[in-house]
Amino acid sequence: MFQFREEFECYLAKYLDKLPTVPLLKEAMEYSVLDGGKRIRPLLTFAGGQLSGANNQTLLPIAAAIEMIHCYSLVHDDLPAMDDDDFRRGKPSNHKAYDEATAILVGDALLTEAFALLAHNHNFTAETKVELLKILSTASGALGMIKGQFLDMHAEQKPVTLEELEEIHNNKTGALIKASIMMGYIAGPNQSQESLQSLSTFAQKVGLMFQIQDDILDATSSSEILGKSAGKDAEQEKATYVNLLGIETAQEYMQKLNTEALALLTPFQTHADPLKALTLYVIERQN
Amino acid sequence: MFQFREEFECYLAKYLDKLPTVPLLKEAMEYSVLDGGKRIRPLLTFAGGQLSGANNQTLLPIAAAIEMIHCYSLVHDDLPAMDDDDFRRGKPSNHKAYDEATAILVGDALLTEAFALLAHNHNFTAETKVELLKILSTASGALGMIKGQFLDMHAEQKPVTLEELEEIHNNKTGALIKASIMMGYIAGPNQSQESLQSLSTFAQKVGLMFQIQDDILDATSSSEILGKSAGKDAEQEKATYVNLLGIETAQEYMQKLNTEALALLTPFQTHADPLKALTLYVIERQN
């Protein structure tokens, strides 16, 4: 997994470096992509690929496309009109380092180039490319991540139920996390319909666990450790698991999801070891 | 062509209506898509398709994807941090009718759904889908439209040469106009490499002509006729053909491009009639 992470950083840096575009635009794109994020989604793609025997070289472009989508969403999310965050991954957010217009265009460019990267890649058959593009566009669009962002935006300052909160997060964070695992899985040769189904359920649970831990960290950690503004959820009266359940019950809920999730991995035997390790990381991470 | 335009409006409205997303997000997307734009790009796709004998039903999803990309670019372009335009297609721009956060998400959603629409469509083989997605993502991303936007943004208030201006517009407007024609063409069965090449040169000239007429209208027409703020180019000291060449020389240059463009259509005989009619419309339009 460490080796994949290194190969991934190298692949992504090279891909952006070779983009024949305006140097300043490229620099601003690189600023928000090559900046030491945790790379959880790319690693989930790697781990998903291990379940179906995917080749690591094949997983790199998939992981890069997903991370570019994730980074675009952070850049747009941080804009003053959205979450208004000046601080991301331990440094000024894109619109603070450059300006708002640049941040809007950087987000648009990363989003578009994620699809371009997959469409132009030579590792896949046309059929696999189309499947990958279907999953990625559905997960990140108006039926997935953007839907979640929109619901989240409108959930501020009004009470939501646990069910509504889960709908927000299944879309806002969960959809792309699920896509990361599924896209890795369908890139390998040893697929089955049954495994695809249970992996999909597993992935949904991981997405929720990820968000619960995010909420817990926002409430309990510091801006220095998180590399982004802590305590913003309470300040903005955001709907979070912590605000809705309290920290202790949120932690119990996460443990319950974890047990259910791990059980779904049993049929994959040792092929699921990287995915198990990542699941543990998701709930134990400190930033 | 009129029939295609009607079918197109119907297809696009139905597609958006069926999107299973949050009603208010969908409404805001529809606000900026189903609003009586000129639909030049969809019509160019239709006209491009006539050259290779493409089926109209096959051209509809292509035209819809391109128009969604065009509309997203207008929504983001109008934002206060970008061109700061309160008025578009004769009504308040998206961020005025809703708010900035909504307009950012509407743009992101339209961009993503354009790729989703093509990836999920059943009219094409996987190979054709990939070709369409390659052209669309390249034309609209950091190597095309966004590059043009970025260059344009940085060209304000400093002198540019005619060559630099053409680079801006070949990317900002030209890339997607060219893609509209080319994507229509590759959807039909009667393609040849030679025709593809001359059509590409033709499309580039049409893109420039479109922009020159845009600049002329901005300088000579009224906000009422244009349905957007007129006279903004001079006000913002923007680099335009009119500012650089004067109206008369700009018109002469457009006529020269027109003659060269029409000559490239000769081999297509009467199949090029819709494309000729549209080219005439591009340079004679009053809004």
Side-chain angles (χ1 to χ4, degrees), chain A residues 21-22 72 76 81 100-101 108-109 111-113 115-116 119-120 130 133-134 137-138 140-143 146-147 150 153, chain B residues 19 21-22 25 72 76 81 100-101 108-109 111-113 115-116 119-120 130 133-134 137-138 140-142 146-147 153:
Chain A
T21 187
V22 197
Y72 117 73
H76 279 189
E100 279 185 55
D108 293 345
L111 169 52
T112 313
E113 292 309 320
F115 292 111
H120 286 86
V130 169
L133 288 161
K134 276 186 192 175
S137 60
T138 304
S140 55
L143 285 61
I146 296 173
K147 178 182 176 182
F150 195 85
M153 206 168 80
Chain B
L19 267 189
T21 187
V22 198
L25 173 61
Y72 118 73
H76 279 190
E100 278 186 52
D108 293 345
L111 168 52
T112 313
E113 293 308 321
F115 293 112
H120 285 87
V130 169
L133 287 161
K134 276 187 191 175
S137 60
T138 304
S140 54
I146 296 173
K147 178 182 175 181
M153 205 168 80

Side-chain angles (χ1 to χ4, degrees), chain A residues 19-22 24-25 28-29 69 72 76-77 79 81-82 99-102 104-113 115-117 119-122 125-127 129-130 133-138 140-144 146-151 153-154, chain B residues 19-22 24-25 28-29 69 72 76-77 79 81-82 99-102 104-113 115-117 119-122 125-127 129-130 133-138 140-144 146-151 153-154:
Chain A
L19 267 189
T21 187
V22 197
L24 184 59
L25 173 61
M29 291 167 76
I69 295 269
Y72 117 73
H76 279 189
D77 238 25
L79 285 166
M82 304 274 290
D99 54 49
E100 279 185 55
T102 301
I104 293 168
L105 290 177
V106 160
D108 293 345
L110 289 173
L111 169 52
T112 313
E113 292 309 320
F115 292 111
L117 188 163
H120 286 86
N121 195 273
H122 296 293
T125 61
E127 282 76 13
K129 264 186 207 180
V130 169
L133 288 161
K134 276 186 192 175
I135 299 177
L136 188 60
S137 60
T138 304
S140 55
L143 285 61
I146 296 173
K147 178 182 176 182
Q149 299 265 35
F150 195 85
L151 286 171
M153 206 168 80
H154 288 268
Chain B
L19 267 189
T21 187
V22 198
L24 184 58
L25 173 61
M29 290 168 77
I69 297 267
Y72 118 73
H76 279 190
D77 237 26
L79 285 166
M82 305 276 289
D99 53 48
E100 278 186 52
T102 302
I104 293 167
L105 290 177
V106 160
D108 293 345
L110 290 173
L111 168 52
T112 313
E113 293 308 321
F115 293 112
L117 189 163
H120 285 87
N121 194 274
H122 295 294
T125 61
E127 283 76 14
K129 266 187 206 179
V130 169
L133 287 161
K134 276 187 191 175
I135 299 177
L136 188 61
S137 60
T138 304
S140 54
L143 284 60
I146 296 173
K147 178 182 175 181
Q149 299 265 35
F150 195 86
L151 286 171
M153 205 168 80
H154 288 269

Side-chain angles (χ1 to χ4, degrees), chain A residues 189-210:
Chain A
N190 314 322
Q191 301 170 37
S192 80
Q193 202 52 43
E194 198 192 337
S195 297
L196 199 67
Q197 192 50 51
S198 64
L199 193 59
S200 166
T201 313
F202 166 85
Q204 186 142 345
K205 291 180 194 295
V206 172
L208 278 180
M209 285 151 63
F210 182 87

